Amino acid sequence: PMQPLSIDQQTNTPLPARRLRGRSTACFACVVLSTALLVIVARGSFHLSITNLVTTLGSKNGGGTQKIQPVCVDGSTATRTSPDEIAMNRAAKGFRKQLIPGIASSGFFWDDGDSATRKWRPQGVTTVKSSAGRRYLAVSWYGRRDEGYAARGARVSVVEMGSDGDGEFQNKTFPYRHTLLVDKEFCTLPNIHAGGIEYWNGSLHVVDSRRSRFSIISFSLNEVYELGPN
């Protein structure tokens, strides 16, 4: 079998293979980070039909004939965190517009980089309320195969919406940060299509809506980690 390969993102050159989290892994492309990264670790999954379960067991790629290997990150520096403790590093800008006569809509625009990206595509939206009473939006994105990002799987943007009763959007700033969805080995879920998301009882349930897959993967908000530069 191939050996795990680390890539220096600055020079784009291979680095010697290393153990991740103190043991060997099955990954084939392990990224060396130059900045801190947030990840949410999968807790489990279930499938919507026996047929889909049989066709996807033992494969991280589900349907399709071309396998995409996961991208893995070094979990040795992982520090547990929570939505209330996340240091947001981006800002969305709120708006309130009248789209048609008599109907006004409120929302926000992602920052310029996320608004323009073709590498990730947003899909699902759900709301989260923390134990401290703070409200968040969780938005799922999937990495687009056409842009070479399918190996990165999916991410969730955690957007801080403020406390209860604060419904203003016009000219307001909403801090947010992306979190990468990974398995227990800190490897991505390649080629996942995060077509929907729902928050329930402390977990985010993400729908993988690929044809012949149709599974739901559970991510506990108690399993959010920050990985330092490595």
Side-chain angles (χ1 to χ4, degrees):
M2 296 176 64
Q3 295 297 315
L5 178 67
S6 297
I7 303 296
D8 187 321
Q9 290 185 314
Q10 294 182 344
T11 63
N12 200 32
T13 57
L15 295 174
R18 299 180 298 150
R19 286 180 178 270
L20 300 187
R21 303 181 68 199
R23 60 182 182 273
S24 61
T25 85
C27 76
F28 295 92
C30 304
V31 173
V32 176
L33 302 173
S34 58
T35 57
L37 174 73
L38 281 181
V39 300
I40 307 179
V41 178
R43 184 168 63 177
S45 64
F46 59 92
H47 299 259
L48 301 185
S49 71
I50 294 298
T51 302
N52 292 333
L53 177 61
V54 171
T55 60
T56 59
L57 270 178
S59 171
K60 287 190 175 184
N61 289 275
T65 58
Q66 181 182 1
K67 280 198 172 184
I68 299 176
Q69 300 299 338
V71 174
C72 298
V73 294
D74 187 344
S76 63
T77 61
T79 302
R80 193 186 297 267
T81 185
S82 69
D84 288 331
E85 299 171 315
I86 291 175
M88 305 301 187
N89 58 5
R90 289 173 168 80
K93 185 177 180 181
F95 69 84
R96 181 173 178 81
K97 292 185 177 181
Q98 184 169 300
L99 302 180
I100 59 177
I103 298 180
S105 295
S106 299
F108 60 77
F109 297 106
W110 301 110
D111 72 6
D112 291 343
D114 290 326
S115 293
T117 186
R118 298 176 60 87
K119 297 174 180 178
W120 296 94
R121 180 162 291 172
Q123 290 281 277
V125 180
T126 190
T127 57
V128 176
K129 184 177 179 180
S130 74
S131 58
R134 306 184 76 170
R135 297 183 304 125
Y136 299 90
L137 282 184
V139 181
S140 64
W141 308 59
Y142 71 91
R144 297 187 62 216
R145 178 192 288 264
D146 292 348
E147 298 294 327
Y149 261 52
R152 303 194 182 203
R155 69 185 185 186
V156 169
S157 299
V158 179
V159 187
E160 186 177 339
M161 302 301 293
S163 301
D164 288 341
D166 184 3
E168 294 297 326
F169 278 82
Q170 184 67 32
N171 298 323
K172 185 175 179 179
T173 297
F174 298 94
Y176 70 96
R177 187 164 179 180
H178 301 309
T179 60
L180 190 66
L181 301 184
V182 299
D183 63 17
K184 294 180 180 179
E185 297 295 332
F186 283 72
C187 296
T188 60
L189 309 175
N191 205 32
I192 185 176
H193 189 283
I197 188 172
E198 177 71 22
Y199 172 75
W200 176 256
N201 198 25
S203 293
L204 293 174
H205 304 286
V206 178
V207 177
D208 182 0
S209 54
R210 284 173 288 170
R211 182 176 299 177
S212 82
R213 181 77 182 189
F214 300 114
S215 62
I216 299 175
I217 307 172
S218 177
F219 296 85
S220 172
L221 290 184
N222 291 323
E223 296 289 337
V224 182
Y225 295 92
E226 184 168 13
L227 309 181
N230 192 298

